[in-house]
Amino acid sequence: MVENNFNKTSYFFESKNCEEVNLIAKKLSSILETGDILLLKGSIGSGKSFFARSIINEYFRIFKIIEDIPSPTFSLIQTYDNIKPKVCHVDLYRMLYNSELEEMGLDNIYNNFLTIIEWPERLSKKYLEKFIQIEFMYSKKIAEERHLEISIVGIKRKNIFKCINELIKDFGGHI
């Protein structure tokens, strides 16, 4: 994937457990909108699906919906149009060919959903101008601990930066 690094700001967070990762996801869910693209990077088991489910669960809680949130690992795409913003959860781990990307029609989805993409490096040559990327890394000290790097690329909405500043205050993050 080609990234637009011209207007990129990155923030680093060290979470101590899954609950903190869940709280970060909930906080971010409050400012995400239709048309936003959230890219989740990291190795298998690093927390990408957990983070995506935390965001979707928060919207379900708000709309008083009780529903399972399956991983789109095999279906590649799972949509939730019974919440606002509507969410499209994409998992590209099992995508084998670039032609599959075209068949998915992601370009048509971006404008109508909050799009959460796991394994965005498989987007190949697709160019995204505006997105939030979260990279999940294991801690070398504690098994449950994760390090998150949140990068904002091409987005200038004040509420996003206000949310990031609150996360820095709450979780001790830094630029």
Side-chain angles (χ1 to χ4, degrees):
M1 177 183 70
V2 178
E3 290 183 14
N4 171 1
N5 289 317
F6 180 71
N7 192 11
K8 176 179 178 180
T9 307
S10 295
Y11 307 87
F12 300 90
F13 298 90
E14 292 182 15
S15 66
K16 294 174 184 52
N17 53 48
C18 291
E19 184 56 35
E20 285 189 1
V21 172
N22 184 50
L23 291 172
I24 290 171
K26 284 182 176 183
K27 190 79 153 173
L28 277 177
S29 73
S30 70
I31 52 92
L32 295 172
E33 317 179 334
T34 300
D36 284 344
I37 300 170
L38 184 60
L39 306 178
L40 305 180
K41 290 179 75 172
S43 59
I44 291 175
S46 62
K48 298 178 301 296
S49 294
F50 176 80
F51 195 87
R53 282 190 190 104
S54 293
I55 288 173
I56 297 164
N57 268 326
E58 183 61 12
Y59 295 136
F60 279 5
R61 185 191 65 75
I62 292 167
F63 285 91
K64 296 177 175 49
I65 297 171
I66 298 171
E67 186 177 315
D68 272 342
I69 301 173
S71 173
T73 300
F74 292 100
S75 62
L76 300 180
I77 293 180
Q78 185 72 37
T79 58
Y80 303 92
D81 54 7
N82 55 346
I83 54 178
K84 286 191 181 177
K86 296 186 294 184
V87 175
C88 181
H89 183 190
V90 181
D91 187 332
L92 300 177
Y93 181 73
R94 298 204 182 278
M95 191 185 78
L96 299 174
Y97 306 104
N98 285 340
S99 60
E100 291 176 280
L101 197 58
E102 294 300 322
E103 291 171 18
M104 280 186 209
L106 284 179
D107 292 336
N108 298 326
I109 291 172
Y110 292 146
N111 291 331
N112 300 309
F113 289 85
L114 158 60
T115 308
I116 302 172
I117 302 175
E118 295 184 50
W119 301 96
E121 50 275 28
R122 303 225 166 125
L123 287 173
S124 68
K125 295 179 182 169
K126 286 289 183 182
Y127 185 79
L128 299 174
E129 293 181 10
K130 300 185 309 182
F131 57 89
I132 299 168
Q133 178 176 283
I134 304 177
E135 185 166 354
F136 298 81
M137 296 157 275
Y138 292 107
S139 167
K140 294 178 180 161
K141 301 174 193 171
I142 303 169
E144 292 293 313
E145 192 174 272
R146 297 291 187 269
H147 302 294
L148 281 65
E149 177 183 352
I150 301 176
S151 300
I152 313 295
V153 178
I155 300 175
K156 301 204 184 298
R157 287 198 324 261
K158 290 180 183 178
N159 67 338
I160 290 178
F161 294 100
K162 180 180 178 193
C163 178
I164 293 292
N165 285 328
E166 290 172 8
L167 289 173
I168 289 171
K169 184 177 127 195
D170 294 344
F171 299 98
H174 57 88
I175 295 178

